[in-house]
Amino acid sequence: MTGALFRNAASDAARIFRLQRATTTNPFGKLDPLPIGENIRRLQSRPFYRTPQFLGKAKETGVSGFCSFSTSSTVSTAGFISWYLGMVKSRPVLTKSVTSSLIYIAADLSSQTIPQASVESYDLVRTARMAGYGLLILGPTLHYWFNFMSRLFPKRDLITTFKKMAMGQTVYGPAMNVVFFSLNAALQGENGSEIVARLKRDLLPTMLNGVMYWPLCDFITFKFCPVHLQPLVSNSFSYLWTIYITYMASRAKPTAISS
């Protein structure tokens, strides 16, 4: 009987030992009937094990969004420049004329903004005159003038550049100033005598100020820019100049005539 008791005890001990090896304890100290491998897979699938990966993906998404915005902005700018250069080559006169008109509009609005109080309204008729001058007169003449200069003086060395500058200061600049003041005065209803009086008063000071402003602009334009882009560069320089001449053109009639 004693031997039977020992055999039963040994059998029970072996069964308990096998049961302990086949089971695992969960974090709360209770027996988990799942095998070890299955328990590990279940623990790995719990949400808090994926939290670092989730945060990493969120951070990566934010950087990607910023890069995407920067890239799209750069692509848009490059696309506009490419489109504009294509228009300059395919429709040069129209493109340069519209560009000149837009610059004259911006310059005239700036010229009206500087001296006026906030309660005053803009003179849109005056702005329309400036836009028409840039579109119909200045834009086309700039195109043909720069093409003529490139054929007359094809080189781009220093001496040739100075020749082009001299032609601009003695021929093109004075001629365009006369056209601008005369046309603007005529559109305002001034007669021939009033236009002549305005030219006597305003033309010489405008030309003297032009000599101080335009030579450096012309040097950069003729020396460093290709012919098809020279009107655009010249128009860009003319923004400040246009603010000045639109102010001069909007001055009252000379007192000797108006009285």
Side-chain angles (χ1 to χ4, degrees):
M1 183 174 181
T2 303
L5 290 175
F6 276 112
R7 283 194 299 273
N8 291 334
S11 177
D12 291 339
R15 188 169 57 252
I16 292 173
F17 179 73
R18 287 194 300 270
L19 180 63
Q20 287 178 347
R21 291 190 59 183
T23 59
T24 58
T25 304
N26 61 19
F28 300 99
K30 298 180 180 179
L31 292 179
D32 193 344
L34 292 176
I36 296 176
E38 184 66 19
N39 192 35
I40 292 175
R41 285 195 295 271
R42 192 181 74 170
L43 289 176
Q44 288 179 343
S45 66
R46 291 182 180 178
F48 64 86
Y49 276 87
R50 295 201 306 266
T51 300
Q53 297 178 0
F54 174 77
L55 293 176
K57 289 182 179 180
K59 183 177 181 181
E60 182 181 356
T61 303
V63 174
S64 177
F66 175 77
C67 294
S68 177
F69 174 78
S70 302
T71 303
S72 62
S73 177
T74 304
V75 170
S76 299
T77 303
F80 174 78
I81 294 175
S82 176
W83 171 82
Y84 183 84
L85 294 178
M87 290 297 294
V88 168
K89 291 184 178 180
S90 61
R91 299 182 178 180
V93 178
L94 176 62
T95 304
K96 296 169 187 177
S97 299
V98 172
T99 302
S100 180
S101 179
L102 293 175
I103 291 175
Y104 261 71
I105 290 173
D108 182 66
L109 292 175
S110 300
S111 178
Q112 294 188 51
T113 301
I114 293 172
Q116 75 174 7
S118 59
V119 296
E120 297 183 18
S121 60
Y122 288 97
D123 186 354
L124 297 181
V125 176
R126 165 182 155 177
T127 304
R129 288 199 303 269
M130 301 306 163
Y133 175 79
L135 180 67
L136 302 176
I137 305 296
L138 186 65
T141 57
L142 278 175
H143 169 77
Y144 292 112
W145 172 257
F146 283 115
N147 285 341
F148 173 69
M149 286 290 99
S150 67
R151 290 194 299 269
L152 186 62
F153 305 109
K155 297 181 180 179
R156 296 175 65 176
D157 57 278
L158 243 121
I159 300 300
T160 304
T161 301
F162 285 131
K163 291 179 181 178
K164 295 177 182 178
M165 292 167 55
M167 290 288 289
Q169 292 298 312
T170 58
V171 178
Y172 183 78
M176 295 309 298
N177 284 330
V178 170
V179 172
F180 175 77
F181 284 123
S182 302
L183 182 61
N184 185 71
L187 291 175
Q188 294 183 78
E190 298 181 15
N191 57 37
S193 300
E194 292 172 330
I195 293 174
V196 171
R198 183 180 289 276
L199 291 174
K200 289 180 179 180
R201 184 192 66 182
D202 296 337
L203 183 60
L204 184 59
T206 302
M207 291 177 59
L208 292 176
N209 288 325
V211 170
M212 293 187 291
Y213 180 78
W214 278 108
L216 178 60
C217 302
D218 286 342
F219 179 81
I220 296 173
T221 303
F222 286 120
K223 179 66 176 174
F224 301 108
C225 301
V227 177
H228 68 284
L229 291 181
Q230 286 176 356
L232 173 62
V233 177
S234 181
N235 273 323
S236 301
F237 284 127
S238 71
Y239 174 77
L240 292 176
W241 176 253
T242 305
I243 293 177
Y244 167 72
I245 62 171
T246 53
Y247 162 75
M248 293 292 290
S250 64
R251 295 174 67 189
K253 299 177 183 180
T255 56
I257 298 298
S258 59
S259 59

